[in-house]
Amino acid sequence: MAKTRLIPDDTHPITVEPTSGQVRIRAGDTIVADTAKSLTLQEASYPPVAYVPLAVIDPSLLRPSDTETYCPYKGDATYYDVVTPDGVIADAAWTYAEPYDAVSEIAGHLAFYPDKVVITVS
């Protein structure tokens, strides 16, 4: 079955802008990311989401998950577990390897669920 592909518009706006400030992602006592180079995606009335460059994350902290989802505005998402000395946090993060043109800036970035890790912006 063909996937529906939608373009952001006035009824469902999406913006991607550099995050003003330092973004830190923490899982327990482990710092997963600490960067001033993240992006903030604001989609319609949803809370803003910080997308952190994959390049600033220690790859040993990430394990690909089997979970995949689809967003008609952004494309296919794949998920990662976060692996720390304290244990594994399943499906804690997601990425769009080949996002749609409207949000192409988030390619190479990872977003985290705020109920699974601690996200601070300062």
Side-chain angles (χ1 to χ4, degrees):
M1 177 168 43
K3 293 179 181 176
T4 301
R5 188 172 181 165
L6 301 173
I7 306 292
D9 61 17
D10 290 343
T11 64
H12 194 98
I14 299 178
T15 59
V16 179
E17 298 177 349
T19 303
S20 59
Q22 191 81 4
V23 174
R24 177 178 277 185
I25 311 293
R26 188 170 44 81
D29 293 331
T30 302
I31 302 298
V32 178
D34 193 356
T35 182
K37 298 190 180 292
S38 72
L39 300 171
T40 298
L41 184 142
Q42 177 65 59
E43 180 175 359
S45 61
Y46 298 111
V49 176
Y51 279 79
V52 176
L54 274 163
V56 304
I57 302 171
D58 178 349
S60 72
L61 297 174
L62 300 175
R63 180 176 68 197
S65 151
D66 290 334
T67 303
E68 296 179 0
T69 59
Y70 176 72
C71 171
Y73 292 97
K74 296 184 291 288
D76 292 307
T78 55
Y79 287 70
Y80 286 90
D81 300 334
V82 172
V83 181
T84 73
D86 297 324
V88 176
I89 304 169
D91 292 334
W94 71 94
T95 187
Y96 292 90
E98 296 179 15
Y100 291 156
D101 291 344
V103 294
S104 62
E105 301 97 328
I106 64 171
H109 290 69
L110 201 61
F112 293 83
Y113 283 106
D115 61 336
K116 295 189 178 200
V117 298
V118 176
I119 303 168
T120 55
V121 181
S122 56

